[in-house]
Amino acid sequence: DAGVIQSPRHEVTEMGQEVTLRCKPISGHNSLFWYRQTMMRGLELLIYFNNNVPIDDSGMPEDRFSAKMPNASFSTLKIQPSEPRDSAVYFCASSQTRGGLLYSNQPQHFGDGTRLSIL
Amino acid sequence: AQSVTQPDIHITVSEGASLELRCNYSYGATPYLFWYVQSPGQGLQLLLKYFSGDTLVQGIKGFEAEFKRSQSSFNLRKPSVHWSDAAEYFCAVEYNQGGKLIFGQGTELSVKP
């Protein structure tokens, strides 16, 4: 079975450019999570969706970050304009959540991440 | 505030030796508990999980973890470490927030030959 698929695997761009990260969750999963991993702050949850609806975006750093999930099989995380401090590895994860906002009862499955470098 | 603590940032063990990685979570309702492993350049792979029932859970690659409610701990163990176990290990908890995970800072494991 295909796991969570993220693209691109690596992105190097200059400060000020728009960056779009993509994620395809595991088929049948209805919850999707975006994380950022840095040496200083570890793994941080940025935003998560349930049934394509954003549930909690309290981890999104600032207005330069936005995320969408137009359908059950695709999500994007966009940074505009990008800054050097956005350099990190961004992970997408998905899981099957039952009962709406109750416990998921299923573990999250992670993609291999996008390593983003902003020069 | 809900939190997860992994007290050991880096641990080195000899191949064949036993291993215990510590994890403590902030007091409150019993969460769901997870251990993930991350190899360099890779995503996180689930080792094991605890939802309810038997407090000793078995995972992949010979790992096990024990949930101790009185200590708010979920320590990961392996009786005999292999060189391929060298990686970073993350403890994570999920409270009643629709699948939202809180991660510890991670423990980097090095294995000496």
Side-chain angles (χ1 to χ4, degrees):
Chain A
D1 290 340
V4 176
I5 299 172
Q6 292 186 245
S7 64
R9 287 297 310 278
H10 303 274
E11 175 87 13
V12 180
T13 191
E14 293 187 345
M15 181 175 64
Q17 298 298 307
E18 178 179 290
V19 174
T20 299
L21 311 181
R22 297 173 176 81
C23 175
K24 177 178 169 56
I26 292 173
S27 178
H29 283 188
N30 63 350
S31 290
L32 183 140
F33 307 81
W34 282 102
Y35 291 89
R36 179 172 67 176
Q37 185 178 38
T38 61
M39 289 292 292
M40 292 298 295
R41 300 175 67 91
L43 269 164
E44 303 173 276
L45 177 66
L46 300 177
I47 184 171
Y48 76 96
F49 296 82
N50 183 258
N51 293 325
N52 310 338
V53 176
I55 302 300
D56 184 348
D57 65 355
S58 59
M60 295 286 264
E62 48 198 274
D63 292 345
R64 298 185 297 106
F65 285 69
S66 63
K68 294 182 179 180
M69 192 164 186
N71 57 62
S73 59
F74 183 66
S75 177
T76 60
L77 177 67
K78 188 172 293 187
I79 308 173
Q80 167 63 21
S82 58
E83 296 182 4
R85 59 192 168 120
D86 302 329
S87 298
V89 181
Y90 291 81
F91 288 103
C92 176
S94 70
S95 71
Q96 177 66 43
T97 304
R98 297 189 176 89
L101 297 183
L102 299 180
Y103 282 113
S104 70
N105 202 35
Q106 295 292 327
Q108 292 181 22
H109 296 262
F110 283 75
D112 285 338
T114 295
R115 183 172 297 276
L116 176 64
S117 298
I118 309 296
L119 306 177
Chain B
Q2 296 156 346
S3 64
V4 180
T5 303
Q6 293 180 245
D8 304 306
I9 296 174
H10 189 198
I11 284 182
T12 300
V13 299
S14 297
E15 191 167 17
S18 63
L19 171 71
E20 182 169 30
L21 303 182
R22 296 182 289 165
C23 174
N24 293 92
Y25 62 94
S26 56
Y27 180 79
T30 300
Y32 288 171
L33 299 156
F34 306 84
W35 274 99
Y36 284 87
V37 61
Q38 183 181 29
S39 298
Q42 303 294 314
L44 279 71
Q45 180 184 20
L46 180 71
L47 282 176
L48 47 78
K49 60 186 184 290
Y50 173 78
F51 290 150
S52 64
D54 192 348
T55 56
L56 184 64
V57 294
Q58 303 297 320
I60 62 171
K61 304 185 181 186
F63 285 92
E64 66 178 25
E66 185 172 13
F67 168 57
K68 293 185 177 180
R69 185 190 307 273
S70 61
Q71 298 176 20
S72 297
S73 70
F74 189 57
N75 295 348
L76 181 71
R77 301 194 294 248
K78 186 169 184 179
S80 178
V81 170
H82 188 262
W83 64 266
S84 60
D85 294 324
E88 187 148 22
Y89 292 80
F90 292 91
C91 179
V93 302
E94 178 194 334
Y95 294 92
N96 185 12
Q97 295 183 21
K100 183 175 177 178
L101 282 178
I102 301 172
F103 283 89
Q105 283 296 100
T107 297
E108 184 178 357
L109 173 66
S110 297
V111 180
K112 293 189 300 186

